[in-house]
Amino acid sequence: MTDSLAAPERTEEPSPSRGRLILSRSIRGLGWTLIAAGIVVLLYLAYLLWFTNLRTGLAQRDLLDAWQLEFGDPNAALPGELGVETEVVDPAGPGDAYAVMWFTDGVTGERKVTSEPLYVVEGVEVPDLRRGPGHYPTTAGPGEAGNFSISGHRTTYGAPFYNLDQLAEGDVINVIDRNNVRWHYRVRDGSPGVDAAHRIVAPTDVWVIGNDPLGWGEPMMTLTTCHPRFSSRQRMVVFAELDPDYVPPEVEDANLPVTDAIEAPTLDPEGTDARPWAVPDVLLIAIAIGSLALTRINRRQSTGARAGRGLLYLVSFLAVTAVLFASVFPRVESVLEDPVLEAGMDASDTA
């Protein structure tokens, strides 16, 4: 009877082999790595589609304030006269407002490409183009003989040229220069044998911003941007010829936006490339690593201990995110989307 009531013998489960333990940890580590990679991708998309547009939108508003206070209401700009030389008293420095530009249908005068005018800056360096489209410094200016050339992003930093492919032959590119003079360029077909207003070229084809790349013998304008979208594999190019006889049709709500600012903003000479904080990346990474290390020290399961570990994880995440947004993502974006033809080239040396 005693034997029948005896407790059953406990059998110990065999411990997993070293190989299975390594495999289990590897799979767990791979899973966490994929989760982290997914979070980084989502953050990068937020950076591209929201953060860069926000920064450029703020820069464009600053340029609007600076333009109107320095050069006057753009709606009061006078039409330019071909052959009349007007010296710009205050030439634009790198990153300064250089011109106002907008696109319209050549017949109806309705806006195309963008709903708001674009404030073009001087220069095509990375910080310049993060404010808006940039003027190639070695090319002609608005209304001048030669090739007035502008580059702009297509999918980031406000994506000013996102819909550049909407331009058709006969459409008009309207430009106001720093003398508050208005010029009109008529889009022309720039593809030999092809009925299209756009030309797709390699990033090294700097000839398209040369003095007279198509042999028109007339003052002209060239726009360059990335092609296809979210890639810098090629460049889309639009050519236009100065049309001194063009008279804009009367269109409702055609006036350009104005500002009620009473003091011109101080434009950062480094453009939107400047860091929004002074903490260096090395210190932020050290904070992230230190926070993660502290979470491993105290493994108690009390409510306070769990809350403390959660706070340290949050601090580490924020530190790493700050480095991504301030340093890593901008460098990646510069590689993926570069609308400029051969950065650092001299257009005056091209054909």
Side-chain angles (χ1 to χ4, degrees):
M1 184 69 178
T2 303
D3 293 339
S4 62
L5 297 176
E9 295 183 1
R10 299 177 61 182
T11 57
E12 296 184 359
E13 297 182 1
S15 58
S17 64
R18 181 178 178 84
R20 293 183 61 185
L21 187 61
I22 293 176
L23 178 62
S24 175
R25 290 178 176 176
S26 299
I27 293 175
R28 188 182 303 114
L30 177 62
W32 281 110
T33 300
L34 293 175
I35 291 173
I39 292 174
V40 171
V41 170
L42 290 176
L43 288 173
Y44 184 61
L45 290 176
Y47 166 83
L48 284 179
L49 302 178
W50 176 76
F51 188 68
T52 62
N53 292 345
L54 174 64
R55 294 176 72 175
T56 301
L58 295 174
Q60 284 284 299
R61 283 193 287 273
D62 284 346
L63 291 168
L64 164 62
D65 293 341
W67 181 278
Q68 183 167 323
L69 291 173
E70 187 172 358
F71 307 113
D73 184 354
N75 293 293
L78 300 175
E81 296 182 40
L82 195 60
V84 176
E85 297 291 338
T86 54
E87 181 181 358
V88 177
V89 178
D90 183 20
D96 288 344
Y98 184 80
V100 187
M101 177 176 64
W102 68 101
F103 309 90
T104 54
D105 185 281
V107 177
T108 65
E110 297 291 338
R111 293 280 176 84
K112 300 187 71 171
V113 182
T114 62
S115 58
E116 299 292 336
L118 300 171
Y119 282 82
V120 180
V121 300
E122 174 69 350
V124 291
E125 299 297 325
V126 172
D128 303 326
L129 295 181
R130 288 174 178 169
R131 285 179 169 164
H135 168 242
Y136 286 91
T138 54
T139 65
E144 294 179 354
N147 188 4
F148 172 41
S149 303
I150 293 177
S151 179
H153 283 291
R154 199 174 181 197
T155 51
T156 57
Y157 291 99
F161 288 169
Y162 184 86
N163 291 317
L164 196 65
D165 56 335
Q166 290 182 356
L167 287 179
E169 190 167 5
D171 286 340
V172 177
I173 306 172
N174 309 271
V175 180
I176 298 176
D177 64 21
R178 287 168 67 91
N179 289 321
N180 218 21
V181 172
R182 188 177 65 247
W183 304 93
H184 305 284
Y185 290 83
R186 183 83 68 166
V187 175
R188 282 187 55 179
D189 180 11
S191 302
V194 180
D195 184 17
H198 320 99
R199 186 163 184 163
I200 308 304
V201 301
T204 54
D205 284 338
V206 296
W207 62 268
V208 301
I209 57 173
N211 190 56
D212 188 10
L214 300 179
W216 290 348
E218 300 290 342
M220 63 175 295
M221 184 177 187
T222 300
L223 305 178
T224 68
T225 191
C226 300
H227 182 81
R229 295 186 179 107
F230 292 100
S231 171
S232 60
R233 188 172 69 250
Q234 296 172 307
R235 301 291 183 269
M236 175 183 289
V237 181
V238 172
F239 297 106
E241 182 182 342
L242 184 65
D243 186 351
D245 300 323
Y246 175 76
V247 178
E250 293 292 336
V251 181
E252 293 184 5
D253 301 323
N255 290 341
L256 304 179
V258 294
T259 177
D260 56 1
I262 59 175
E263 183 177 355
T266 301
L267 300 178
D268 186 346
E270 297 183 26
T272 55
D273 199 34
R275 295 173 61 92
W277 52 78
V279 183
D281 289 346
V282 174
L283 181 55
L284 288 173
I285 294 297
I287 291 174
I289 295 175
S291 299
L292 287 175
L294 289 175
T295 61
R296 311 297 299 178
I297 294 177
N298 186 358
R299 305 301 294 173
R300 291 180 297 176
Q301 297 302 315
S302 65
T303 302
R306 287 197 295 269
R309 287 199 299 273
L311 179 61
L312 290 172
Y313 279 125
L314 178 61
V315 170
S316 178
F317 174 78
L318 293 177
V320 172
T321 302
V323 174
L324 290 176
F325 273 81
S327 298
V328 177
F329 289 161
R331 289 185 173 90
V332 174
E333 175 269 329
S334 297
V335 172
L336 293 180
E337 187 185 55
D338 179 9
V340 180
L341 290 161
E342 191 82 15
M345 59 82 219
D346 184 356
S348 63
D349 294 337
T350 61

